[in-house]
Amino acid sequence: MGIPTKNLTTSGSIEQDKKIIQSWVNKHMRVNISDGRVFSGRFICVDNLKNVILTDAVEYKKINDEEDDKRRIGLVMLPGEHILSTWIEQPKKL
Amino acid sequence: MSDQTLPGTEWVDCTNFLSNVCSNMGVGEMLHHPTKFSLMEVMSVIEMMDPKMDTSYKTPRVRSVTERFIDGTLPSFEQLSMKQVLYTMDMLISAELQWYDGLSLPQTVFTCLYLMDDLCYVGEPSPEKPKSNIFILFTKMLFKRIDYLIETISRVDCKTEEEFVNSSFGLFTIRSLEGTDNLQEDVQEMIQHIESNQQDYQGHAQDLIDRLLFQQAFFRSREAVLFVDQDILSDALTYTKSCKELFQLIKKSHADMFGNEQEQVDQSDGQQDDPTRINIAFDHKITTRLSSAAVIKAVKLAPLTKTAHILDSFLDHMIFICRGAQQLYGADLDHILRFFVSFSKLDHLNVVSRCTLMYIAIQNEQAFGTDMKQLVAQHIQSHLPMMNNNHQDILKSCLRMDPAPLQKTNKNVQDILDEEDAVLTCQQWVDLMCNVIFNYMNALCSNPANTRRKFSHLIIEWGMIEQKAEQLDLWCIEELRILKRTSSDFTISGHEHLFAFTYYCIEHTCALCQSYLLIGFELQLYHKTEIHHVLWYLDYICGLRSQNMTKMLQRLPTDQDLKMMQSQLAQLTPGGKKKKKNKIKNLPPVLTVPTETTPLQKIKKKLIEVDTYISRGLYRFALATLIGKNENGFENIFDDGTLPNMNPLLRFNKRFQCFHLISQPPPISYDQYKSYMEHSYKDATPSDLLNVASENLNYSRQVMEDVLLYHKMNQNELLDTHQLQSIKDMIKMIQANMISITLTSMKMNSKTNQSATFEFQLCPQYPVIKLTK
């Protein structure tokens, strides 16, 4: 996919980690789901089952190696059980 | 896919991080914005991987129109056969009808691939492309008509969002409407061209002409509705009739051409690569490619053979509206409201017909060209013969019909209202009534469930209007010189006419309450254990209405009446003994005298009587079946295992909630109802109740037969079609109930464990009650 891979690690304190997730609200998030589609939108909510809600979401569906079909959907909920990976837009650390 | 992030940011994989945190969260715990996350938003969310909500889920990719053109699976419009062209036109008509039924434009009209991207797949008009030229003209009229329709419907407020979707989701552009000024000339030219070059159209020249003429007539009728006035309505009627005739020709030619192929068309839907199939121009799945904030589900469209009935009904409704509306300009309020009620009872009404009537009827706060205030004033004048001079004066002053100041006869006015306040109050009263009548018309143009909901609001509004009416009546009392006609024998004091305005309002409130309850039967809203509550309340409302109407249809005694009464009194007191003032022995105080009622008023009174006796009879019948079931009498008759959590008090008060927000008619609480029941029916046996039920139903049937006879004697002008049908249905319902009463009496003796069922097949307004196992 060619995007930078940087993994986020836990801080050791669950409350601290929850605050980190809370700080992601309205930030850009990308989610890959099990049928190969990718959703990109602003993060709104997550629950204990890892269900994620994104707003202003765009759906990308692969046509071939070079091309994606793009469709603007809006407010979506991605079921936790179908989420393969999630990426959050973070400031670059110098 | 765009991997771009904002400058200075990067993508960070948080998969494991998120999984760890979520696994440590409590059940139902969520992490979200502290304030900007509400239940409303959660309920609006589209769930992915759910087949009902996710249009992309497990569906093969739908190719774009451009891709199909490039790879040749979608031929150019000129390459289509004549049959394909005609099928496309017919399918567009069918698609438009399904839009009327509640689907959106992208799901219907814009599933036509040749309409994508502003007809660029059809191209510009050109002499070398005869088929394309015809199609462009056809679609121009279609788009213009869609535009007019959206304009009409958006100006009235009698639809719900689910009923009609007027958004085109960006597919409808201004370019589509360019060059529509000379459509009529263009159509004439095109028809002449087709007729001169019939050989180019492979024997289908007449089919093309019919479709163009149909589209033109349909477009012109819609245009006439948009710019409506009394004169243009006759044009609308002419074009609509023309539409109807042309549509019969189109249906016939469609059946002849495609009748045998319809099955093949249905099966070929998935074969996108076959350019010879007749429905090549349509792909309902193209909708899923649309970018939209709302889910637009692909819906397979029905062909014209299956949707033709929608257009037939719609054109009939339009003819009904245009014909009726022409006669309503200058008509009185009774006729106008009767027309609305008749319209609301037509079969297969859709949102477009209903909005069209509302649009035509109400323009600039006028109903069919007459100011609503004037209509209301005329209505009051004609329905309240009992108004005294003060009522007349105040009405005229507030409507500025008579600028002369109110004639005060008694200078010692108590300060309930002073004169200016009275006029202002009357103006407010009339304004409120105008508003509520507009809302009533709006309610009748809504779907039945919405009508009922709007009626409940109107009942409360009438309650407020009635309070204003009481204020006005009290003012009139203070101003009124008690009508004293002295003779050597007696004095008359008139009281009934003091509350003219109040009675007027009570009549309308009761009529609305009655309609509200009856709609519940038509919608089958009531649980079987509460139907007898509703019947009782209906009996109560109808009884009050009947009494109120009797009071309304009274007038002040004239001098001639007084002389007659005087002579009658003289006959009662042969000794010529003088009576004390205000005391008339053997003759009740003569308050008012019955007025001559018009035939319409007589029929109205009779129909209220019918409703009273039917509901009375059915209530007793229902009660008999319930008492028979329980040996404990009234104790457990409200107990029903299917509704364990709703106690009868809550259920009763909830059912009649809107009636408790008004003072007239006086609302009845559950305790009052129960105490009435216990008082009136404590010792009643089922057979007593069944006998009384039978008598009441029999009497109502006799009254209905009198009504039908009276209608016939008046040249069949008193009742409209739906009222006649309604009476016939009610007679059948009564006959069925009479048989059921007889059977029930026999079953009651055997004490079997049976319960009552309520069936509405014979008459939607009242049930047939049967005792079944």
Side-chain angles (χ1 to χ4, degrees), chain B residues 594-610:
Chain B
T595 190
E596 289 295 318
T597 50
T598 63
L600 270 178
Q601 284 171 330
K602 268 190 187 149
I603 282 272
K604 193 175 170 185
K605 220 171 165 287
K606 287 275 179 201
L607 289 174
I608 296 170
E609 222 178 300
V610 163

Side-chain angles (χ1 to χ4, degrees), chain B residues 365 371-374 376 380 395 398-400 423-439 461 465 468 472:
Chain B
E365 297 197 353
D371 188 58
M372 185 56 85
K373 279 187 187 173
Q374 200 182 328
V376 166
I380 294 171
L395 197 61
C398 95
L399 295 171
R400 294 184 183 88
V423 173
L424 191 63
T425 304
C426 193
Q427 283 171 350
Q428 289 168 352
W429 181 61
V430 172
D431 284 341
L432 283 173
M433 278 202 286
C434 291
N435 198 46
V436 88
I437 290 168
F438 280 134
N439 290 342
E461 285 181 43
I465 293 172
K468 279 239 185 289
L472 286 169

Side-chain angles (χ1 to χ4, degrees), chain B residues 676-695:
Chain B
Y676 163 80
M677 279 249 315
E678 283 164 2
H679 180 258
S680 305
Y681 300 105
K682 194 176 172 187
D683 299 320
T685 63
S687 63
D688 294 335
L689 288 167
L690 290 174
N691 286 339
V692 175
S694 178
E695 279 169 21

Side-chain angles (χ1 to χ4, degrees), chain B residues 194-219:
Chain B
I194 295 172
E195 283 171 342
S196 317
N197 298 282
Q198 292 201 21
Q199 68 283 357
D200 293 342
Y201 302 102
Q202 295 136 35
H204 291 290
Q206 190 56 50
D207 295 324
L208 284 170
I209 290 171
D210 289 341
R211 281 153 177 80
L212 280 174
L213 287 174
F214 166 80
Q215 194 71 299
Q216 182 191 39
F218 205 3
F219 157 68

